[in-house]
Amino acid sequence: MDTNLFLAKALEEIDQKLSELIPISDQSLYSPLFASARYSLLSKGKRLRPLIVLAVAESYGIQRSLALQPACAIEMIHAYSLIHDDLPCMDDDDLRRGRPTLHKVYPEWHALLTGDYLLTYAFEILTQSPFLNTEQKVALVRSLSFHAGAHGMIGGQMIDLLFEGKAVDWDTLEQMHLGKTAGLFTASLEFGGILSQAPAKDIEALKNAGKALGLAFQLIDDVLDDTSTQEELGKPIGSDRENNKTTAVSILGIEKARMKASHLLKTAEESIDTLSCPAALLHDIFKQMVNRRQ
Ligand code: GRG
């Protein structure tokens, strides 16, 4: 299938499923939680992580209906991480995806609880995903809890905040990127493999691709933070500089950071070339992600 056609169709299905999964409101006393979750989750994100899950499943010839709910679970974890990352106690940002951050619209405690809700609900919907056997569900829960936890996203965020305002060398920065950014990309690729019941050697290759792709994605994110406008990115630019954070650009400069991202893209592509399924769709998506302008 043509890549752009696949992306357009998959994006539509992801958005529809995300909307179905969070009630508009109900009679419960806690229903304002759903309105705030919809505000963040349904705002205009790129949906890269769920798209990757669906793209891997597509590459193995697996029906999209089987991969859709697990893909949405990863987007929920991503949305929760953005809500918490924007809070005053972390990056204290006012704008996300072109709109006021959640704690600017609701009280801070409400934003915090919305993130907590999305985090816990992600695991609930994983265990309720249709068409999967128990072994697959356990593997998905294990993958997501590992990559979103201390050895992945939370660990990366911990390094980020521990080193704020301090000198950071390249190895430390890369360890932070591996956790904070590459964690969820690795989980997304691994999810695709688990859903497709791919052989163990493919799952390893998918995870390796996820690490390299995540690192490349973060390098480009740092470059865009220096070369784009707030309107293009939908979030404040230069906030890392304001918060005294070391970035790939502050260590390498723009050109070297771009070159490093290209090398990492190549590593990710070499990894998916070893898969036992056609990899053209994944090649296209990886390239689009690393060559993106926003
Ligand atoms: C606070 C638990 C917790 C974790 C925070 C993910 C994260 C760790 C912080 C968010 C800020 C940040 C710069 C993370 C690096 C990963 C990244 C570039 C996120 C933005 O992802 P996109 O570009 O965002 O896919 P959209 O809005 O398109 O979904």
Side-chain angles (χ1 to χ4, degrees), residues 76 79-80 83-84 102 110-120:
M76 284 181 194
Y80 121 73
I83 294 169
H84 283 195
L102 197 61
H110 189 138
L112 182 76
L113 286 177
T114 307
D116 294 340
Y117 161 57
L118 289 169
L119 162 62
T120 43

Side-chain angles (χ1 to χ4, degrees), residues 1-293:
M1 190 197 281
D2 170 73
T3 302
N4 287 334
L5 198 65
F6 165 81
L7 288 174
K9 190 88 194 77
L11 203 57
E12 195 183 312
E13 288 183 26
I14 290 163
D15 280 340
Q16 193 186 331
K17 189 67 178 177
L18 287 172
S19 180
E20 272 170 35
L21 285 166
I22 312 276
I24 289 179
S25 68
D26 63 16
Q27 298 306 309
S28 63
L29 291 176
Y30 49 83
S31 85
L33 196 53
F34 303 134
S36 53
R38 292 180 73 85
Y39 177 89
S40 285
L41 187 67
L42 305 183
S43 61
K44 254 196 153 350
K46 295 184 287 296
R47 312 284 188 236
L48 297 175
R49 297 151 190 83
L51 283 171
I52 288 174
V53 178
L54 299 191
V56 176
E58 177 84 14
S59 303
Y60 282 96
I62 298 298
Q63 278 199 343
R64 201 140 58 225
S65 53
L66 184 145
L68 204 50
Q69 195 152 313
C72 288
I74 298 200
E75 184 66 14
M76 284 181 194
I77 297 286
H78 173 57
Y80 121 73
S81 80
L82 299 180
I83 294 169
H84 283 195
D85 187 62
D86 289 334
L87 287 174
C89 64
M90 296 214 193
D91 274 4
D92 195 12
D93 277 325
D94 296 351
L95 198 69
R96 170 72 66 182
R97 294 176 170 172
R99 299 207 289 176
T101 45
L102 197 61
H103 63 273
K104 292 284 162 191
V105 180
Y106 292 90
E108 192 179 341
W109 58 264
H110 189 138
L112 182 76
L113 286 177
T114 307
D116 294 340
Y117 161 57
L118 289 169
L119 162 62
T120 43
Y121 189 45
F123 288 97
E124 184 180 338
I125 66 160
L126 267 190
T127 63
Q128 291 171 352
S129 296
F131 317 118
L132 302 181
N133 61 41
T134 306
E135 205 181 313
Q136 282 175 304
K137 288 180 185 174
V138 170
L140 294 175
V141 168
R142 186 205 50 76
S143 169
L144 193 53
S145 51
F146 182 85
H147 294 297
H151 310 295
M153 191 178 72
I154 301 279
Q157 181 75 352
M158 192 75 193
I159 298 174
D160 190 354
L161 295 176
L162 282 171
F163 281 86
E164 209 171 272
K166 299 195 179 110
V168 176
D169 61 22
W170 181 260
D171 286 351
T172 307
L173 188 74
E174 194 164 69
Q175 219 185 307
M176 180 184 103
H177 290 173
L178 261 180
K180 192 171 145 169
T181 311
L184 284 194
F185 284 112
T186 308
S188 305
L189 281 146
E190 188 177 22
F191 261 41
I194 294 167
L195 294 166
S196 310
Q197 300 190 302
K201 79 155 194 42
D202 282 25
I203 304 258
E204 272 319 298
L206 287 163
K207 288 198 286 186
N208 288 334
K211 281 187 204 163
L213 180 72
L215 289 176
F217 181 83
Q218 184 59 57
L219 292 185
I220 296 303
D221 202 69
D222 285 359
V223 167
L224 291 175
D225 197 54
D226 248 61
T227 56
S228 298
T229 62
Q230 177 166 301
E231 288 66 41
E232 283 169 317
L233 295 187
K235 61 181 181 183
I237 51 158
S239 73
D240 283 345
R241 214 175 307 125
E242 270 167 38
N243 291 335
N244 276 324
K245 286 187 181 176
T246 304
T247 67
V249 170
S250 71
I251 296 186
L252 297 178
I254 290 173
E255 274 326 299
K256 278 199 182 142
R258 278 214 174 100
M259 267 168 56
K260 207 166 174 48
S262 299
H263 284 133
L264 285 159
L265 170 63
K266 197 159 164 272
T267 306
E269 295 199 90
E270 281 166 5
S271 229
I272 52 165
D273 277 337
T274 68
L275 297 176
S276 60
C277 66
L281 180 63
L282 291 170
H283 277 289
D284 279 355
I285 292 176
F286 285 13
K287 283 198 186 88
Q288 285 192 24
M289 276 177 59
V290 177
N291 296 326
R292 76 193 199 279
R293 295 266 157 245

